[in-house]
Amino acid sequence: MNQEYHDTTVKMESEGVNPEYIQGWQGGYVCNPEREEQRVNEAYTAGYEDGLEKKTDGFADWK
């Protein structure tokens, strides 16, 4: 298990971060393909981009 992935997910969930951001971050972090266009939104995209960069502190704006 990737401890950074787990710890960041738990932290975001406990701080009430937008679930769309969390799902985007998780997908980006593990390099999953992005969602299909009609299911993408601003929070998801921001999370996906932060996840791709392995950025673990970009979620403050999504609480």
Side-chain angles (χ1 to χ4, degrees):
M1 177 175 72
N2 182 315
Q3 195 64 45
E4 181 179 59
Y5 174 93
H6 172 58
D7 292 347
T8 303
T9 297
V10 169
K11 183 174 183 177
M12 288 190 289
E13 289 173 344
S14 69
E15 293 188 22
V17 173
N18 183 322
E20 291 291 311
Y21 177 91
I22 295 173
Q23 289 177 17
W25 184 88
Q26 290 171 327
Y29 191 93
V30 297
C31 298
N32 283 344
E34 203 168 352
R35 283 181 181 170
E36 56 275 6
E37 187 176 339
Q38 67 270 22
R39 294 185 56 222
V40 172
N41 56 50
E42 188 179 357
Y44 175 86
T45 300
Y48 190 84
E49 290 171 0
D50 286 349
L52 283 175
E53 296 175 16
K54 305 290 193 256
K55 187 176 179 182
T56 60
D57 61 354
F59 58 84
D61 291 341
W62 299 99
K63 291 183 186 182

